[in-house]
Amino acid sequence: MIDATIKLAHLAPPQSYGRRVLRRFLKHKLAVASLAFLFLMAVVIIIGPFVSPYTFDGQDFTLIGSPGPMNAQHWLGTDELGRDVLTRLIYGGRVSLAVGLAGAIIATIAGTLVGALSGFYRGWTDILLMRFTDVMLSIPTLPLVLLLSGLFRPSPPLLVAIVGMLIWMGTARLVRSQFLALREREFVEAARALGAGGARLMFRHILPNAIGPITVAATLAVGSAIMLESALSFLGFGIQPPVPTWGNLLNSASPWLSVAPWLAIPPGLMIFGTVLAVNFLGDGLRDAMEPKE
């Protein structure tokens, strides 16, 4: 019986890398639940404004003056300007998630490029790029972003650029360590012996083998970007009203906390839940792509 089992195991076709990653990821229950939460939230954020009978800046002039309570017409009530809170929450999610995703993409591209050049060429290239990375890491991120946002009007594209260019350092260090390890592997030496140039070695042979850690870093960068954008908007240095974001919704709700807490709780929960879900998703991807066993 044991011999038959061993023979069947040998005859079974080996699973592809993608199937193994998917199987390990599905075992991570928190990551799967987080992915489902993020997918459901994305669907609501995309479809919600088209279904809602209100616009994000539409006002009911009979309700101006103080926040309105939750009722059948306004499920999360209205703010002091007579605007529907649920519609603004959904639309604000569009802006906050768009800034977070775009900022994370910029950070991942910049960090990957710096880390790849540093780890592959080493020498003076490595010294200069890593010392620049260390300098960027030593600068407090939030005060610098506040300064830049105060000097320039924080339109969404500018805010995306600011956020992306201030959270790339962790990705750069991670990619550098991967390139330092992979550049000495046999398949890279074989490609070099066949005449492959530096750019081809980096982006055709080494980078695909480092895509797992880069994917995990990009996932975690989304949470960092959302938190940074929310903090800026809450402090009044991010995207300005009437365009809603989760951060400036919290800012607008702060004077009414004692009489209308329902204005502050939903955006706070959305920021908390989204960042937590993204971090759980990143943990699940890391465990699936880099198993310890």
Side-chain angles (χ1 to χ4, degrees), residues 123-167:
W124 280 105
T125 302
D126 182 29
I127 293 172
L128 291 174
L129 290 177
M130 284 300 101
R131 295 301 75 76
F132 175 68
T133 303
D134 292 339
V135 170
M136 292 298 296
L137 282 171
S138 67
I139 300 174
T141 303
L142 189 56
L144 179 59
V145 175
L146 291 176
L147 174 63
L148 294 175
S149 299
L151 292 175
F152 306 100
R153 183 171 178 81
S155 63
L158 178 60
L159 189 59
V160 166
I162 291 174
V163 170
M165 295 310 295
L166 290 176
I167 61 172

Side-chain angles (χ1 to χ4, degrees), residues 132-269:
F132 175 68
T133 303
D134 292 339
V135 170
M136 292 298 296
L137 282 171
S138 67
I139 300 174
T141 303
L142 189 56
L144 179 59
V145 175
L146 291 176
L147 174 63
L148 294 175
S149 299
L151 292 175
F152 306 100
R153 183 171 178 81
S155 63
L158 178 60
L159 189 59
V160 166
I162 291 174
V163 170
M165 295 310 295
L166 290 176
I167 61 172
W168 57 267
M169 293 77 75
T171 302
R173 287 192 163 195
L174 176 65
V175 173
R176 173 182 177 270
S177 66
Q178 292 292 314
F179 268 65
L180 285 174
L182 291 171
R183 74 185 301 276
E184 307 298 337
R185 298 286 292 274
E186 291 80 1
F187 66 90
V188 178
E189 293 296 335
R192 186 180 288 112
L194 291 173
R200 182 175 178 83
L201 288 173
M202 282 194 294
F203 299 110
R204 180 69 178 85
H205 296 282
I206 300 179
L207 185 60
N209 289 279
I211 201 66
I214 293 173
T215 302
V216 175
T219 304
L220 298 177
V222 174
S224 299
I226 291 174
M227 285 293 292
L228 188 55
E229 184 279 327
S230 299
L232 282 174
S233 296
F234 177 75
L235 295 172
F237 290 90
I239 296 172
Q240 301 298 309
V243 177
T245 70
W246 289 339
N248 65 31
L249 287 176
L250 277 175
N251 187 5
S252 301
S254 57
W256 304 97
L257 282 177
S258 59
V259 295
W262 60 84
L263 295 181
I265 292 174
L269 286 177

Side-chain angles (χ1 to χ4, degrees), residues 33-58:
S34 298
L35 182 61
F37 169 77
L38 292 172
F39 176 77
L40 179 62
M41 184 179 63
V43 170
V44 172
I45 286 173
I46 292 171
I47 298 176
F50 298 105
V51 178
S52 174
Y54 310 103
T55 60
F56 74 89
D57 56 352

